[in-house]
Structures are given as C-alpha cells and as structure tokens.
Amino acid sequence: MAIWHGNPTLDEINQSMGNCMPGYLGMKITEVGDDYLVGTMPVDDRTRQPFGILHGGASVALAETLGSLAANMVVDNSKFYCVGQEINANHLRPVPEGVVTAKASAVHIGRSSQVWEIRIQDPKGKLNCISRITMAVVPVPSQ
C-alpha cells in the first residue's frame, strides 16, 4: 500500500522543479514507488567541483530534493508542509561523469517529524553517497 497522500504524476513533480535549483542542476524524478522516490542528476559542469568530480554539495542538494519532495507527498498539503531540519551525507567515492541515481526511502514517518534515507549511486550502480534528512512536519498557518 502506498504511503503517499496524493497521486502526483512524474510530469507534475518534474514541472514543479523546473524554475528552481533542482531544475537548474538537471534533476529529474524518474520513479514513484509505493514508499520511495527515485531521481537522477547529471554530473556535468553544473554539478562538478573544480577537481573534475561530482561536488558534494550537489549530492546533498539531490538528497534534500528527494527527501523534501517525498516528505511533502506523505502529508495533506492543505493542512501541513514539511521543511528540512537536519541533513547529513557521507561521500564514499568520486564520480567524474555520467548520471547519478538517488533513491529516497522512509525511515520514520511521524506526526511532527520524518526521517528519510537517500542512497546515491554512480552510473555503474556503486554507492557514492549516503544521506539522511530529518524533516519537520509543520501546520499550515490558518488564514
């Protein structure tokens, strides 16, 4: 059974990222599973550091994007929204080129917080970054 509150399409999710950081970095959501999201990001001039490998900050941006999208897809957005409280990342191996793929999976979904794990793999399927994000579930202010 799916954990999502709504049923957004991949097109709707990707369109929402078009005019902000995820869109500028070339991120795309490629799969919505019952309890996970998958997305990709190219390793190119936008996402590399000066030494020619994927920038750790770009990996964290990908992790936060997937974790934030997933967290907000779990709640009723007319009543709640989710914001990042803490994120960490371990960068395990360099990625000089290609496309990295990230999978966000829920660790904890509570009334006031959520924890998501994001595993990022290089083009050969090797783990290059593992991240965890804690999201605060915040009530929408009454009008």
Side-chain angles (χ1 to χ4, degrees):
M1 185 166 109
I3 62 173
W4 314 120
H5 185 267
N7 205 10
T9 67
L10 287 175
D11 282 343
E12 290 169 339
I13 297 168
N14 285 312
Q15 284 178 3
S16 74
M17 300 189 314
N19 292 323
C20 52
M21 183 193 286
Y24 297 138
L25 296 181
M27 295 179 199
K28 298 249 185 292
I29 302 303
T30 58
E31 184 180 354
V32 179
D34 282 347
D35 60 354
Y36 64 89
L37 281 183
V38 176
T40 61
M41 182 177 66
V43 180
D44 60 20
D45 289 341
R46 296 170 291 180
T47 58
R48 281 190 200 103
Q49 51 147 283
F51 302 107
I53 58 175
L54 179 62
H55 194 293
S59 294
V60 173
L62 177 60
E64 180 140 4
T65 298
L66 263 68
S68 182
L69 285 169
N72 279 285
M73 288 171 57
V74 170
V75 300
D76 178 348
N77 294 127
S78 69
K79 298 177 183 175
F80 302 97
Y81 63 100
C82 300
V83 294
Q85 275 189 308
E86 190 272 341
I87 189 166
N88 66 57
N90 296 101
H91 307 290
L92 306 173
R93 65 174 36 89
V95 182
E97 62 187 9
V99 174
V100 292
T101 302
K103 181 178 181 180
S105 303
V107 174
H108 166 74
I109 299 175
R111 285 180 289 139
S112 61
S113 70
Q114 298 180 20
V115 178
W116 291 82
E117 177 184 79
I118 302 92
R119 299 173 71 88
I120 304 175
Q121 296 180 328
D122 70 11
K124 295 178 183 174
K126 292 186 177 184
L127 186 65
N128 77 288
C129 179
I130 186 164
S131 181
R132 187 180 65 221
I133 188 168
T134 302
M135 303 293 296
V137 180
V138 179
V140 171
S142 52
Q143 301 292 356

